[in-house]
């Protein structure tokens, strides 16, 4: 998997929020791959044609495979274990579990899109 500076993997089951964040990141020069749950995100990471993301924005509460399961799996894969993760969640008690998974940032919903963008910019500068 090749690295692409400025690529974001956005994992969020809420379609409206996912679309809004994807549009925000794209307008700032990022390439965005979207997944509605951890299983879809894992399939994207497993696709050798997809560039290695420079950051993952991850919801925790999702169907099929939640964010905590996804993060544990991501950390076990040497090719993507070093990709920083920004967690967005509505559940404060679940955020404590996320911190145990060594995420770069944790933000609570409703997410302030500008604070999220600042965190992403810090972790993954946009492509020129």
């Amino acid at each position: 998997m090749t690295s692409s500076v400025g690529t974001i993997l956005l994992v969020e089951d809420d379609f409206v929020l996912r679309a809004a964040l994807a549009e925000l990141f794209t307008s700032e020069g990022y390439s965005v791959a979207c997944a509605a749950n951890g299983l879809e995100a894992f399939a994207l990471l497993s696709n050798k044609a997809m560039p290695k993301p420079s950051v993952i924005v991850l919801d925790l509460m999702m169907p099929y495979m939640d964010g905590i399961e996804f993060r544990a799996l991501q950390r076990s894969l040497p090719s993507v274990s070093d990709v920083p993760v920004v967690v967005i969640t509505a559940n404060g008690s679940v955020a404590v579990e996320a911190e145990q998974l060594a995420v770069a940032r944790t933000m609570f919903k409703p997410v302030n899109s500008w604070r999220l963008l600042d965190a992403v910019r810090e972790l993954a500068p946009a492509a020129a």
Side-chain angles (χ1 to χ4, degrees):
M1 183 176 278
T2 61
S3 182
S4 176
V5 174
T7 300
I8 297 170
L9 175 55
L10 175 57
V11 190
E12 168 61 57
D13 64 326
D14 181 302
F15 174 79
V16 174
L17 180 57
R18 186 173 66 242
L21 291 177
E23 184 176 325
L24 174 67
F25 295 143
T26 300
S27 73
E28 292 294 317
Y30 292 95
S31 173
V32 181
C34 293
N37 58 61
L39 284 176
E40 287 182 15
F42 181 71
L44 288 172
L45 287 180
S46 299
N47 182 344
K48 298 209 184 300
M50 180 182 156
K52 178 180 176 179
S54 45
V55 69
I56 298 170
V57 176
L58 179 66
D59 184 17
L60 291 183
M61 305 293 290
M62 298 178 293
Y64 308 113
M65 178 188 288
D66 67 24
I68 292 172
E69 293 170 309
F70 170 80
R71 176 64 174 148
L73 185 59
Q74 179 224 348
R75 289 179 72 196
S76 74
L77 299 173
S79 63
V80 292
S81 63
D82 63 335
V83 176
V85 173
V86 176
V87 162
I88 54 175
T89 185
N91 187 331
S93 64
V94 174
V96 173
E97 292 179 56
E99 288 179 15
Q100 296 172 354
L101 292 174
V103 298
R105 303 280 187 289
T106 301
M107 297 187 172
F108 295 96
K109 294 179 181 178
V111 67
N112 178 310
S113 57
W114 300 113
R115 284 190 57 229
L116 177 59
L117 184 57
D118 285 344
V120 167
R121 282 179 182 144
E122 183 180 324
L123 296 166

